Amino acid sequence: MRPLTVLQAAAAAVVAARLARGRRRPAPLRPGLSGPPPERVSVVVPARDEESRIGECLAPLLSDPAVGEVIVVDDESRDGTARLAERLGATVVTGAPLPDGWVGKQWALHQGVQAAKGPIVVLLDADTRPKEGLCAELAALLGSHDLVSAGPRFICGGALEQALHASLLATLVYRFGPIGPSSPIGPRGPVRREAAVERLLVNGQCMAFRKARMAEADGFARVRHHLTDDVALGRLLARDGWRVAFVDAGPLLEVDMHTSAASVWREWGRSIALRDVTPAGRLAGDLAVVWLTAALPVLRLAAGRPTPLDLGLLAQRLLLVAALRDSYVQPGPGLAASPLLDVATAVRLTWSALLPARSWRGRAYGRAYGPDHGRGRGPAAVRPAGRSAPPVRSAAR
């Protein structure tokens, strides 16, 4: 048997084991299951140049009886974000200038959580579309968890955008398994091994925790240099003993992250490798899994020389397409065509791993941020990226 075949078979077994965990996924969050939260809930939304879309995030929150206050941290926006948020009824915190050593989103969240009056804090990105009931259900989960992260349903503007997005999403499933483990990582969870913490995912678009516990942990300050801030925070707190869970909130949360396929390629692709929170050996293994089980079968099929294992992997990929339907507000032909882009996605994943981006939201960060933190002489000063930097459509950073 050829070495490549042996490696592909081993990678296929790993992916099959990860996908099998999907059978134990709990049901998605739904409204009204838990009743009103027993304590006040503060929602914090970090925002930098979000005038065009923050209204769709704030309006449902401001009318939700479970939400005690909505705080928008205006992170030095250059548009009318703060004015719009105030007009809608949110409390606007004017963000202080970004200190050296901090990435923008963590600094905004640090200020927003400090300003929150409620004992329960929910973090939401400005591109999310929450529905009534989301915050109540997240608050209820804090009875058995310390940090709750929620996965949304995605809004895609066209077939090509959805195809590329679904292909990138598939790489996360192949590398980490399905969203929504049945048990949290933590003192009373099934595992505490470092290996399990290294595979932990959270979604920074939506998180909930108790303010006092986060203040004690000083979580945002401790991950202030990370560009993949959400996963860095979740893994840090899990190592501290926090019970961390990632749940499916699709019926209660939608997100419109991007404006086009080019935007997906540029913006989500920049961080999809999770380089700054993944050890080099593990990252190499992740790349090998994606190339061997997703890209190679498509390449061989295109060449007219697929092996039986390739055909089995292609069939598995089509089953994943069906499983991902509930991850999209309007699943369409783009989702069905997503396996055709798996080679391009493997290229983007490799690019993200080898040449990580260090600019975001008009700010550029030195090599001491993200994957190179601790290797240089300390965080370089943040500098403006200039007006030639491409616009982005994700969370403030």
Side-chain angles (χ1 to χ4, degrees), residues 280-375:
R282 181 74 74 174
L283 183 56
D286 286 345
L287 291 174
V289 162
V290 171
W291 276 103
L292 290 168
T293 62
L296 184 58
V298 174
L299 288 171
R300 284 180 171 160
L301 181 66
R305 300 173 59 187
T307 66
L309 180 55
D310 290 327
L311 295 175
L313 287 167
L314 289 167
Q316 178 179 262
R317 180 67 175 85
L318 292 175
L319 290 174
L320 181 58
V321 166
L324 290 178
R325 285 186 59 84
D326 286 343
S327 297
Y328 292 90
V329 174
Q330 293 182 322
L335 176 59
S338 63
L340 300 177
L341 297 183
D342 284 353
V343 176
T345 294
V347 170
R348 187 65 179 101
L349 183 67
T350 305
W351 178 5
S352 176
L354 298 179
L355 298 170
R358 292 188 176 87
S359 63
W360 195 249
R361 288 288 179 182
R363 292 176 175 138
Y365 298 93
R367 291 181 61 83
Y369 291 80
D372 298 302
H373 177 73
R375 301 179 192 174

